[in-house]
Amino acid sequence: MTRALFALKLGLFRNGPHNERVFCLVTGLILAALVISGASLTAHGVIHEDWIAVALTVWGGMWLFGPLAQPRHDPSVISREWLRGCPLRSWRLARALSWTELLAIGPLITLACLSSLVVLAAPGGTTAVAAAMAAVAAQLYLLVWAGKTVAALVAWLLQTRAGMTLAAVQTAIMLALSFAGWVPVAAWLLPRPGEGDIALVTPTAGRLPEPMTDVLAASPTGWGYGAALAARDGAGAGPVLLPLAALLTLGALLQLCWIALTVRALRRPPRRASSRRPAVPGRGLSLPFTTPQVAAVVSRELVTWLRDPARGVELRSAWLTPLLMALIIASTDWSWALPLAGPAAAVFGAMIAINTYALDGTALWQLLTTPGAIKADVRGRMVAWALMFGLPSIALAAVLWAATGSPLGGAAVGGAITAAAAGCAGAPLLALVMPAVGTDARDRIHPGQQAGDPTGGQMTIFPVALLAAILPGVIGGPWWGSVLFAVLLAAVVLGVIPALTVRLLQQRGTGLLEAMATRDTAFLHASARTKSSLNRPSDTLCHSRSGATP
């Protein structure tokens, strides 16, 4: 059984997409090479070996907190959904499946990183190198199963009612640390740039404080490090064997936990989507300067962002992330940078809204078969985004400017305006150009369910929105010039891009519908080449509608 599952996983790796896998492999090996180089430099006294313990602890933390950054319902390559009907005992299947989890990019690059322990132990001779190799294997075993168990626990929690909030909070924490975690270090090196003082504090990379070193060595991520140093220094069998035994024991327990969670997933019958709230007519939303059709789309979008599990996670994480970034900045002396949280909120809002058409799924047939609805739909999505992200991000920048008196306040407000315009107009456009088709909206029942991978669209709109946020501060000059330039640029963007979005939706709407009905984007590419999707025979549209629900 294990051999068959290994063959299946190798086939998936060989025939599946390679871009992300190759990128992760190259990046991981580069980082591992830096750790190995640091270990070799310790022999010459360039850096102290305590910093290798720091690097290994950070690497181990990536295994523990990595699954929290991108929570998924089924984080494994071989989906549990494929194996539910397999006529084998669940425990036997889960045990066989567990060993295939070792076949991945993560264990490979972690093995390369942990080989730094062999470099550290090399001065101790052959026996020390052999002990270090055993420590590498035991440490790898623990880290892999710690990460896999955390991912399985997150997948289970995502199927609960609190899963949406949990996924949003953990994603926001990871993003905030990724984008603003460098601020405390920068504030230590440059304590007073807001006052015009750019004097740099020269850091020293000496030995870490002894209590910190003891904590790193006592944590599970440092047990292999401690065993390798003990073998090098000839401390005896006890200091070497005890950490190795602890690594193997804890790793085995975590593997059993993963097997138990997998057995639970295999025994659970598939769930069907059901509406928790009855559809009852409500009062229409009244908005100034909009038609009733646009107001209806705005009302639908606001309700969908709150109810759909896939959108709900993104909505919460997009707003929690800039607020957590502001808290990190506020804990330092860089209070002058707080207004920049406003443009950051607009940028994150743009990134999470670039896949709305694919998230709506086959319900798109209603839009395509309703005369005159396309223009109102595009405008309504833009207005809804502006209400949720655009106007609040501008208000956040203005409030923080008033509270801090930052010299960057005008540039921050102008950047929030232009970033909001870029997100407001660009998100619906990218939703048509780069749709990430996943589970249809009528079948999504919990936040962790795969609803498409919009990474490509997010990486496309991120530099665009970021550039739009930077331009007012670079070109505008004084604060009033930044705001004026931002308003003019926003007017141009909001006047040109929506017309292009409407035209593309008219041309590619049917191809997008077929792509979502079949979950095959080839239909969308074919529609883009012909540019005459709406002129196709009506039976094709009816065939696409046959499997869709409102």
Side-chain angles (χ1 to χ4, degrees), residues 214-544:
D214 294 338
V215 170
L216 294 177
S219 63
T221 55
W223 291 348
Y225 169 81
L229 293 188
R232 182 197 64 184
D233 299 335
V240 176
L241 296 180
L242 286 178
L244 297 182
L247 287 170
L248 294 175
T249 302
L250 184 55
L253 291 175
L254 291 172
Q255 184 178 6
L256 287 176
C257 291
W258 186 91
I259 291 174
L261 291 170
T262 303
V263 168
R264 183 181 182 277
L266 290 172
R267 291 176 176 176
R268 185 177 57 250
R271 296 168 58 187
R272 296 289 298 173
S274 59
S275 177
R276 295 183 179 270
R277 302 181 183 180
V280 295
R283 295 182 58 185
L285 184 66
S286 178
L287 293 173
F289 311 110
T290 60
T291 64
Q293 292 81 5
V294 173
V297 175
V298 174
S299 179
R300 181 204 66 196
E301 284 293 296
L302 294 178
V303 172
T304 304
W305 277 104
L306 295 176
R307 291 188 179 183
D308 180 40
R311 288 206 204 185
V313 172
E314 295 175 343
L315 174 64
R316 289 162 174 79
S317 63
W319 262 116
L320 283 173
T321 300
L323 296 179
L324 292 176
M325 290 173 60
L327 288 177
I328 294 175
I329 296 173
S331 64
T332 68
D333 294 332
W334 278 21
S335 59
W336 53 270
L338 278 175
L340 299 178
V347 172
F348 284 117
M351 293 177 65
I352 64 103
I354 51 88
N355 201 37
T356 52
Y357 282 110
L359 289 176
D360 287 349
T362 49
L364 181 65
W365 72 267
Q366 296 175 325
L367 174 63
L368 299 180
T369 55
T370 303
I374 291 180
K375 183 176 181 180
D377 184 81
V378 173
R379 298 287 182 181
R381 289 173 189 267
M382 292 172 55
V383 173
W385 189 93
L387 292 176
M388 289 186 300
F389 295 104
L391 296 179
S393 64
I394 298 172
L396 178 63
V399 169
L400 292 177
W401 180 20
T404 62
S406 170
L408 296 181
V413 172
I417 294 173
T418 51
C424 184
L429 177 63
L430 279 179
L432 295 174
V433 176
M434 305 178 67
V437 180
T439 304
D440 198 69
R442 56 181 177 168
D443 297 324
R444 288 200 299 271
I445 54 180
H446 46 74
Q449 203 162 10
Q450 184 58 260
D453 184 7
T455 304
Q458 290 174 344
M459 293 301 100
T460 300
I461 201 171
F462 176 76
V464 174
L466 185 61
L467 177 62
I470 294 174
L471 284 178
V474 175
I475 300 177
W479 71 265
W480 58 267
S482 298
V483 175
L484 178 61
F485 174 80
V487 171
L488 295 176
L489 181 59
V492 172
V493 170
L494 295 176
V496 174
I497 295 182
L500 177 60
T501 305
V502 171
R503 182 179 178 184
L504 280 178
L505 186 55
Q506 290 172 341
Q507 294 176 346
R508 309 177 69 179
T510 307
L512 179 60
L513 175 58
E514 291 186 1
M516 290 185 293
T518 60
R519 299 183 187 178
D520 185 0
T521 55
F523 287 99
L524 183 62
H525 300 325
S527 176
R529 286 192 298 267
T530 60
K531 294 187 178 182
S532 58
S533 302
L534 298 180
N535 295 328
R536 298 176 61 190
S538 59
D539 58 341
T540 303
L541 181 58
C542 295
H543 174 71
S544 299

Side-chain angles (χ1 to χ4, degrees), residues 9-34:
K9 193 164 187 178
L10 285 173
L12 293 173
F13 280 152
R14 185 168 54 252
N15 301 309
H18 303 290
N19 294 338
E20 182 178 357
R21 193 174 299 121
V22 171
F23 175 79
C24 293
L25 177 62
V26 173
T27 305
L29 290 178
I30 291 174
L31 295 176
L34 292 177

Side-chain angles (χ1 to χ4, degrees), residues 11-325:
L12 293 173
F13 280 152
R14 185 168 54 252
N15 301 309
H18 303 290
N19 294 338
E20 182 178 357
R21 193 174 299 121
V22 171
F23 175 79
C24 293
L25 177 62
V26 173
T27 305
L29 290 178
I30 291 174
L31 295 176
L34 292 177
V35 178
I36 296 172
S37 300
S40 63
L41 292 176
T42 59
H44 304 286
V46 177
I47 63 174
H48 197 271
E49 60 193 20
D50 294 345
W51 290 102
I52 305 302
V54 174
L56 296 179
T57 302
V58 172
W59 201 286
M62 291 167 59
W63 273 100
L64 292 176
F65 297 104
L68 305 180
Q70 291 184 334
R72 292 180 292 171
H73 167 52
D74 192 351
S76 301
V77 175
I78 302 178
S79 176
R80 310 295 179 268
E81 305 290 338
W82 307 343
L83 303 175
R84 277 188 178 143
C86 188
L88 291 174
R89 293 179 55 192
S90 300
W91 279 96
R92 179 188 175 190
L93 186 58
R95 282 196 304 270
L97 193 63
S98 66
W99 297 111
T100 65
E101 294 295 315
L102 301 177
L103 182 63
I105 299 299
L108 178 61
I109 60 178
T110 302
L111 178 63
C113 176
L114 291 175
S115 63
S116 60
L117 296 179
V118 179
V119 177
L120 287 178
T126 306
T127 304
V129 169
M133 293 176 64
V136 168
Q139 189 74 66
L140 176 65
Y141 180 64
L142 173 65
L143 292 180
V144 168
W145 287 115
K148 299 297 181 181
T149 304
V150 169
L153 285 172
V154 171
W156 171 66
L157 290 173
L158 284 177
Q159 300 178 55
T160 64
R161 294 180 63 88
M164 184 180 298
T165 301
L166 172 67
V169 171
Q170 65 194 21
T171 303
I173 291 174
M174 296 301 297
L175 289 175
L177 292 176
S178 300
F179 283 94
W182 57 272
V183 171
V185 178
W188 170 51
L189 297 176
L190 289 169
R192 291 177 297 274
E195 303 172 4
D197 185 0
I198 57 173
L200 178 65
V201 176
T202 304
T204 58
R207 184 172 182 176
L208 294 175
E210 188 172 349
M212 182 180 296
T213 305
D214 294 338
V215 170
L216 294 177
S219 63
T221 55
W223 291 348
Y225 169 81
L229 293 188
R232 182 197 64 184
D233 299 335
V240 176
L241 296 180
L242 286 178
L244 297 182
L247 287 170
L248 294 175
T249 302
L250 184 55
L253 291 175
L254 291 172
Q255 184 178 6
L256 287 176
C257 291
W258 186 91
I259 291 174
L261 291 170
T262 303
V263 168
R264 183 181 182 277
L266 290 172
R267 291 176 176 176
R268 185 177 57 250
R271 296 168 58 187
R272 296 289 298 173
S274 59
S275 177
R276 295 183 179 270
R277 302 181 183 180
V280 295
R283 295 182 58 185
L285 184 66
S286 178
L287 293 173
F289 311 110
T290 60
T291 64
Q293 292 81 5
V294 173
V297 175
V298 174
S299 179
R300 181 204 66 196
E301 284 293 296
L302 294 178
V303 172
T304 304
W305 277 104
L306 295 176
R307 291 188 179 183
D308 180 40
R311 288 206 204 185
V313 172
E314 295 175 343
L315 174 64
R316 289 162 174 79
S317 63
W319 262 116
L320 283 173
T321 300
L323 296 179
L324 292 176
M325 290 173 60

